[in-house]
């Protein structure tokens, strides 16, 4: 098992003076996986990445890459390479010399360097652009050059610091796909830092969610979405309606709960949260709610409310429905099937939900 | 165009009064007479021709060039490290040390000169070209630091990290990435600091031993009316050289600001 873990972080901690940037960080990365560190800005994810790269020394803890303790090993001797947020293309070198940078002065023959540069550029679809000047590149091309320059070093782990944040939306979506494809083709471990949950979910095998220096949850995107370990993760990834709930009975696999608006139902226990006691919090994703003019049939729980707000997103429409006994309006999202659903502000509507869609989020943080 | 406003007239008058006296220098250097006064008697290149034959003058010129080159090299190399530190790092006493480096710009030259003379004699450096070189390095340092700081301002720190990440050591990173990128700034700094040293009089006058620099030599010649036209010719050449150097320096400084691309386009 440990042989497959290309990176092992053991109780990593980083303090800047009194500020704790990263604390009690334990993480195992598998060889060949695409892993994302996701979190809001300032959560310490970049610091964590820079400690793996060797640009920052952990205050305490161990970093093991490919079975070797990295303590005292500087960035230029680690089997990792990094794609920087600004891409850091050397402005005084052309594309070919940028990509060849790491191979020069290492006793590699010129012919081999040329071949490897050509291959690397081919790989990022910049074939034949060796003599193009660094300042003549577009944002997307600069990113590809940065990728080629790192990958030519044949790193065991490629580190990417917000690699797509400088690109416009269209290009970003295309590069998401290409990066993922490249990673699967090469079989190299990619570790990406991002604040964009959609980016993380579309590209990664696993995601580590960070808040305030702590690694809160590590899971595959579908699990992270369906079984977030607490309120913070649930609200950071996707949208979520939160409800207080009271536990009436605990069973091995499920809980019987009552909520102010949906009444009593039996929901699945969330293995990612600690047993929450009697007062817990549950969440429902907006797209899991059925909205209709008449009471919907075949749902485990229903409630009635008034439409307060309509937000049109194109592919779907969000209705914010005010329900007695719930503080915030409940968001319900409906796919936009040629406007078959069309409610206006002030309309009285019914909401329906299956108990399988109600997520146990553990102890209610607002009451403790 | 609108009619010139009062401010524009003021600005033109200001520039005329500022630069007209300077323009008299080249004008009278072509005057065929030893008295500096209008009307101009006739035009001649005689004074320029005579310059070549004056050994003491050539000697002083060479001294100035050597002192200038040394002072420029010293000030620029020290300025390079200082500027990188000021732009890149936060450390205790940063503001204070930056202020100290810039101090020579505001202390009266005569005070610097007399205190340096006292200092050099007390530590056993006799008034000499060495003393002048050290003094000029001190005077030129603030120019080097401010020019190189602007070169480092636009320098993305992750470029050095990228080089390091790709396997370069500290020295190799400096040689293959830092140096080429700030090279235009270094050239600009060398040119400006050379000019600062080349034109400097007060310090050179105080710290001169048996050998002296060109400005001090010129000053010594001004007392002899017969030599004055020669001095004017020489002064005109120096003026031309200084302006040319500063223009080239500015060209390099702008190129250094343009050649590194940061976040914006």
């Amino acid at each position: 098992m440990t042989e497959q873990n290309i990176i092992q972080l053991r109780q990593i901690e980083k303090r800047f003076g009194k500020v704790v940037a990263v604390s009690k960080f334990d993480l195992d990365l598998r060889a060949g996986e695409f892993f994302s560190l996701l979190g809001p800005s300032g959560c310490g994810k970049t610091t964590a990445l820079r400690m793996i790269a060797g640009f920052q020394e952990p205050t305490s803890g161990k970093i093991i890459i490919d079975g070797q303790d990295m303590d005292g090993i500087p960035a230029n001797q680690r089997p990792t390479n990094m794609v920087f947020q600004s891409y850091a293309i050397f402005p005084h070198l052309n594309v070919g010399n940028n990509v060849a940078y790491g191979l020069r002065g290492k006793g590699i023959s010129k012919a081999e360097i040329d071949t490897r540069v050509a291959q690397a550029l081919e790989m990022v679809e910049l074939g034949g652009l060796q003599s193009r000047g660094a300042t003549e590149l577009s944002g997307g091309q600069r990113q590809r050059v940065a990728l080629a320059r790192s990958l030519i070093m044949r790193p065991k782990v490629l580190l990417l610091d917000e690699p797509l944040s400088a690109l416009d939306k269209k290009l970003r979506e295309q590069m998401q796909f290409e990066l993922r494809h490249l990673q699967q083709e090469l079989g190299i471990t990619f570790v990406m830092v991002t604040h964009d949950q959609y980016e993380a979910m579309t590209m990664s095998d696993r995601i580590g969610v960070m808040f305030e220096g702590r690694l809160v949850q590590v899971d595959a995107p579908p699990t992270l979405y369906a079984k977030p370990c607490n309120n913070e993760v649930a609200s950071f990834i996707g949208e979520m309606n939160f409800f207080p709930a009271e536990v009436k009975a605990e069973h091995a696999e499920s809980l019987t709960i009552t909520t102010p608006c949906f009444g009593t139902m039996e929901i699945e226990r969330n293995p990612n949260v600690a047993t929450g006691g009697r007062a817990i919090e549950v969440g429902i994703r907006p797209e899991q709610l059925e909205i209709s003019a008449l009471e919907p049939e075949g749902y485990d729980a229903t409630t009635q409310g008034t439409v307060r707000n309509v937000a049109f997103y194109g592919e779907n429409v969000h209705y914010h429905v005010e329900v007695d006994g719930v503080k915030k309006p409940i968001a319900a999202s409906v796919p936009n099937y040629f406007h078959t659903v069309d409610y206006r502000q002030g309309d009285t509507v019914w909401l329906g939900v299956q108990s399988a869609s109600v997520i146990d989020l553990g102890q209610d943080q607002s009451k403790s | 165009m609108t009619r010139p406003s009062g401010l524009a007239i003021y600005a033109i008058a200001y520039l005329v009064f500022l630069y007209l006296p300077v323009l008299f220098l080249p004008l009278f250097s072509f005057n065929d007479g030893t008295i500096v006064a209008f009307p101009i008697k006739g035009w001649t290149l005689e004074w320029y021709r005579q310059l070549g034959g004056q050994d003491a003058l050539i000697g002083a010129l060479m001294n100035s060039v050597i002192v200038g080159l040394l002072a420029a090299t010293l000030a620029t190399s020290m300025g390079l490290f200082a500027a990188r530190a000021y732009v890149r790092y936060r450390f205790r006493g940063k503001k204070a040390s930056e202020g100290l480096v810039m101090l020579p710009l505001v202390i009266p030259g005569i005070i610097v000169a007399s205190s340096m003379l006292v200092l050099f004699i007390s530590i056993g450096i006799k008034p000499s070209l060495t003393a002048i070189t050290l003094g000029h390095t001190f005077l030129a340092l603030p120019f080097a630091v401010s020019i190189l700081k602007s070169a480092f301002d636009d320098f993305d720190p992750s470029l050095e990290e990228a080089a390091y990440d790709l396997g370069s050591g500290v020295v190799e990173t400096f040689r293959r990435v830092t140096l080429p990128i700030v090279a235009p700034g270094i050239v600009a700094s060398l040119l400006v600091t050379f000019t600062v040293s080349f034109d400097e009089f007060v310090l050179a006058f105080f710290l001169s031993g048996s050998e002296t620099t060109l400005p001090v030599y010129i000053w010594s010649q001004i007392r002899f009316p017969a030599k004055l036209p020669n001095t004017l010719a020489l002064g005109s050449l120096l003026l031309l050289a200084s302006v040319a150097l500063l223009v080239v320096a500015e060209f390099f400084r702008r190129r250094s600001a343009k050649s590194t691309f940061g976040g914006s386009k």
Side-chain angles (χ1 to χ4, degrees), chain A residues 50 53 55 74-76 80-82 84 86 88-92 101-102 104 106 134-135 138-139 142 149-150 153, chain B residues 156 158-170 172-173 176-178 180-181 258-263 265:
Chain A
R50 291 172 60 84
F55 294 128
N76 55 358
T80 58
N81 282 106
M82 182 134 153
F84 291 83
S86 64
I89 304 297
F90 302 128
H92 59 297
Y101 184 93
R104 297 229 198 275
K106 300 221 162 40
T135 43
S138 71
R142 283 161 64 187
R149 189 178 65 181
S150 293
M153 303 304 291
Chain B
D156 178 2
S158 54
L159 290 173
E160 284 173 348
E161 283 182 347
Y164 200 52
D165 188 58
L166 292 166
S168 292
V170 178
E172 196 187 343
T173 300
R176 288 179 65 189
V177 175
T178 314
I181 292 174
K258 234 191 299 178
S259 70
T260 54
F261 44 92
K265 281 200 174 173

Side-chain angles (χ1 to χ4, degrees), chain A residues 263-326:
Chain A
T264 304
M265 45 188 153
E266 193 168 323
I267 65 166
E268 226 178 288
R269 267 181 193 266
N270 183 347
N272 292 326
V273 303
T275 319
R278 294 198 62 80
I280 63 162
E281 193 171 37
V282 296
I284 303 173
R285 298 282 183 198
E287 73 275 11
Q288 303 292 340
L289 284 162
E290 169 72 8
I291 182 166
S292 64
L294 301 172
E295 182 168 4
E297 283 179 26
Y299 283 86
D300 295 342
T302 56
T303 189
Q304 204 174 13
T306 314
V307 175
R308 273 286 153 253
N309 198 5
V310 183
F312 182 70
Y313 282 87
E315 73 269 32
N316 52 39
V317 186
H318 279 220
Y319 294 97
H320 293 268
V321 181
E322 203 164 63
V323 174
D324 281 346
V326 182

Side-chain angles (χ1 to χ4, degrees), chain B residues 30-51:
Chain B
F30 296 110
N31 185 16
D32 190 8
T34 53
I35 298 161
V36 179
F38 286 112
I40 286 172
K41 283 183 171 172
W43 303 101
T44 177
L45 288 171
E46 176 61 17
W47 312 123
Y48 286 91
R49 205 186 53 75
Q50 282 181 11
L51 282 179

Side-chain angles (χ1 to χ4, degrees), chain A residues 31 60 74 84 96-97 102 117 121 133 159 164 177 195 198 203 209 242 245 248 263 295 342 347 361 366:
Chain A
S60 64
F84 291 83
N97 285 329
V117 167
L121 285 175
L159 308 169
L164 306 174
F177 178 78
H195 64 270
Y198 295 109
M203 298 166 81
V209 185
F242 296 100
K248 290 292 182 198
E295 182 168 4
D342 187 14
D347 286 357
L361 293 173
S366 62

Side-chain angles (χ1 to χ4, degrees), chain A residues 36-213:
Chain A
S36 291
L37 273 176
L38 173 68
S41 54
C43 72
K45 56 191 189 299
T46 297
T47 307
L49 193 76
R50 291 172 60 84
M51 284 194 285
I52 298 174
F55 294 128
Q56 261 151 2
E57 286 277 309
T59 314
S60 64
K62 244 190 198 334
I63 296 174
I64 296 158
I65 302 178
D66 201 26
Q68 199 187 355
D69 190 342
M70 287 292 129
D71 187 33
I73 296 180
N76 55 358
Q77 288 163 30
R78 293 195 183 190
T80 58
N81 282 106
M82 182 134 153
V83 173
F84 291 83
Q85 191 170 7
S86 64
Y87 308 142
I89 304 297
F90 302 128
H92 59 297
L93 301 178
N94 63 20
V95 168
N97 285 329
N98 258 286
V99 176
Y101 184 93
L103 298 183
R104 297 229 198 275
K106 300 221 162 40
I108 302 171
S109 73
K110 195 185 173 300
E112 197 194 332
I113 292 180
D114 288 349
T115 319
R116 277 172 73 176
V117 167
Q119 281 170 352
L121 285 175
E122 210 63 59
M123 197 160 62
V124 296
E125 290 169 23
L126 288 180
L129 288 189
Q130 277 90 334
S131 57
R132 183 73 62 90
T135 43
E136 300 163 36
L137 299 173
S138 71
Q141 288 174 323
R142 283 161 64 187
Q143 196 205 35
R144 288 163 197 264
V145 172
L147 261 174
R149 189 178 65 181
S150 293
L151 290 173
I152 203 169
M153 303 304 291
R154 298 176 180 159
K156 296 215 165 86
V157 180
L158 185 73
L159 308 169
L160 304 112
D161 185 8
E162 301 265 5
L164 306 174
S165 63
L167 304 179
D168 57 43
K169 189 168 175 287
K170 238 199 158 124
L171 196 56
R172 195 160 62 221
E173 281 163 6
Q174 188 195 337
M175 283 309 294
Q176 281 176 13
F177 178 78
E178 281 185 29
L179 267 179
R180 178 66 174 145
H181 184 73
L182 198 61
Q183 186 268 334
Q184 284 171 336
E185 204 155 88
L186 296 170
I188 295 176
T189 309
F190 277 33
V191 183
M192 179 175 80
V193 154
T194 179
H195 64 270
D196 185 328
Q197 41 145 331
Y198 295 109
E199 200 170 287
M201 285 205 282
T202 50
M203 298 166 81
S204 320
D205 292 309
R206 289 194 306 156
I207 298 174
V209 185
M210 282 185 75
F211 289 107
E212 291 166 355

